[in-house]
């Protein structure tokens, strides 16, 4: 059974009398442990897919099942809970809180998940070790390089053991060395059995995934196992 299933997914944006169909019937199944890139040019619908998969927005029609549950009919509050408990986000801009040390950034998803304080700290430490930043526990984001900040964000994404790690252009702000570093980390997480969905417009990044889903004008135009 797929952990992620979009069926006949449509998204229509409305402003006033103008309508725009950003997703035009998407069928997509992703299984546990898969490492999938969603790839397409600017305007193809990647952010819209990201917002749907991440429970940040809902479909106009069609269905989205996450971990076997229908998320279409959830209200804002339940959607926020699903988002916090089941999805580990990694964004282009890192989205770390600058005033908090690395470990406090990493423990945030567990605060929403009501994990006890001591356990949060231990798990944050282990997640930071997992991404190679065990010695940066107490550093604030501003004291870390871009690549290190993104690794903190990855630690935050995985600490709650989410159903999927959803990464939106995670290397868009990184130099080539840090890009290699962060993509290497995704390889390791994939080897550990994590489900990873990587959204990107860069073919070099998409080619690191095991499967590439090509999107164009709101539709899937190709879905292939990546032989590379
Ligand atoms: P991508 O991430 O691939 O650049 P998007 O999902 O952001 O694509 O956008 C897909 C299409 O939907 C684009 O034509 C974009 O202009 C349009 N779009 C995105 N968000 C909105 C919105 N809130 N209102 C109207 N149109 C939107
Ligand atoms: P990205 O760089 O991730 O593709 P965009 O620059 O396409 O993002 O969009 C940034 C934000 O603006 C998104 O939240 C998207 O939904 C919104 N947006 C994009 N296109 C439009 C549009 N034509 N009208 C209104 N909002 C839009």
């Amino acid at each position: 059974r797929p952990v992620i299933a979009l069926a006949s997914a449509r998204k229509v944006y409305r402003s006033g009398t103008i309508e725009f169909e950003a997703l035009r019937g998407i069928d997509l199944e992703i299984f546990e442990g898969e490492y999938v890139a969603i790839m397409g040019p600017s305007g193809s619908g990647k952010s819209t897919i990201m917002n749907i998969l991440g429970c940040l927005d809902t479909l106009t029609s069609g269905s989205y099942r996450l971990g076997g549950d229908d998320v279409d009919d959830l209200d804002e509050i339940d959607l926020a809970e699903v988002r916090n408990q089941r999805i580990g986000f990694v964004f282009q801009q890192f989205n770390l809180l600058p005033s908090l040390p690395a470990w406090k950034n990493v423990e945030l998803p567990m605060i929403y998940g009501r994990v006890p304080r001591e356990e949060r700290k231990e798990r944050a430490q282990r997640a930071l070790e997992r991404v190679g930043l065990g010695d940066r526990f107490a550093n604030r984001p501003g004291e870390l390089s871009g690549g290190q900040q993104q690794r903190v964000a990855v630690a935050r994404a995985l600490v709650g053991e989410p159903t999927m790690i959803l990464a939106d252009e995670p290397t868009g702000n990184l130099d080539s060395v840090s890009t290699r570093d962060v993509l290497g980390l995704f390889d390791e997480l994939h080897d550990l059995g994590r489900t990873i969905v990587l959204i990107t417009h860069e073919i070099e990044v998409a080619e690191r995934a095991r499967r590439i889903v090509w999107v164009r004008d709101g539709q899937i135009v190709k879905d292939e196992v990546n032989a590379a």
Side-chain angles (χ1 to χ4, degrees), residues 35-39 203 206-214 222-226:
Y35 181 6
V36 181
I38 296 176
M39 162 83 197
I203 184 65
E207 278 175 344
R208 296 293 294 266
R210 302 303 186 275
R211 173 180 164 198
I212 306 180
V213 175
W214 300 78
K222 193 159 60 163
D223 184 343
E224 60 183 7
V225 173
N226 177 20

Side-chain angles (χ1 to χ4, degrees), residues 13-15 20 22 40-49:
Y13 292 112
R14 290 194 175 81
S15 45
F20 183 82
S42 181
S44 57
K46 299 184 302 297
S47 298
T48 303
I49 292 174

Side-chain angles (χ1 to χ4, degrees), residues 25 31 41 56 71 89 92 115 189 224 226:
F31 290 83
L56 296 157
V71 295
F89 290 95
Q92 180 171 357
V115 177
L189 295 175
E224 60 183 7
N226 177 20

Side-chain angles (χ1 to χ4, degrees), residues 69-84:
D69 294 316
D70 230 314
V71 295
D72 302 307
D73 303 322
L74 298 183
D75 60 24
E76 284 293 330
I77 292 169
D78 288 337
L79 217 49
E81 177 146 343
V82 169
R83 192 157 66 226
N84 288 322

Side-chain angles (χ1 to χ4, degrees), residues 5-11 23 25-27 52 58-65 70-73:
L6 286 173
S8 307
R10 288 176 67 248
K11 178 67 182 179
L23 298 185
I26 298 251
D27 294 299
I52 298 295
T58 52
L59 292 170
T60 306
S61 68
S63 70
Y64 175 32
R65 292 176 70 83
D70 230 314
V71 295
D72 302 307
D73 303 322

Side-chain angles (χ1 to χ4, degrees), residues 11-15 18-23 39-51 57 168-169 199-201 215 217-218:
K11 178 67 182 179
V12 178
Y13 292 112
R14 290 194 175 81
S15 45
I18 299 172
E19 288 194 350
F20 183 82
E21 192 174 3
L23 298 185
M39 162 83 197
S42 181
S44 57
K46 299 184 302 297
S47 298
T48 303
I49 292 174
M50 151 92 189
N51 290 342
D57 200 356
D168 188 13
E169 304 282 3
I199 295 180
T200 184
H201 68 277
V215 181
D217 296 332

Side-chain angles (χ1 to χ4, degrees), residues 1 3 6 29 46 48 53 67 71-72 74 79 90 94 100 130 136 154 158 161 166 178 197 208:
R1 279 229 307 203
V3 287
L6 286 173
E29 290 189 337
K46 299 184 302 297
T48 303
L53 294 182
V71 295
D72 302 307
L74 298 183
L79 217 49
V90 180
F94 319 140
L100 298 182
R130 173 90 277 288
R136 297 299 183 149
V154 173
L158 61 87
E161 311 211 327
L166 187 53
S178 299
V197 178
R208 296 293 294 266

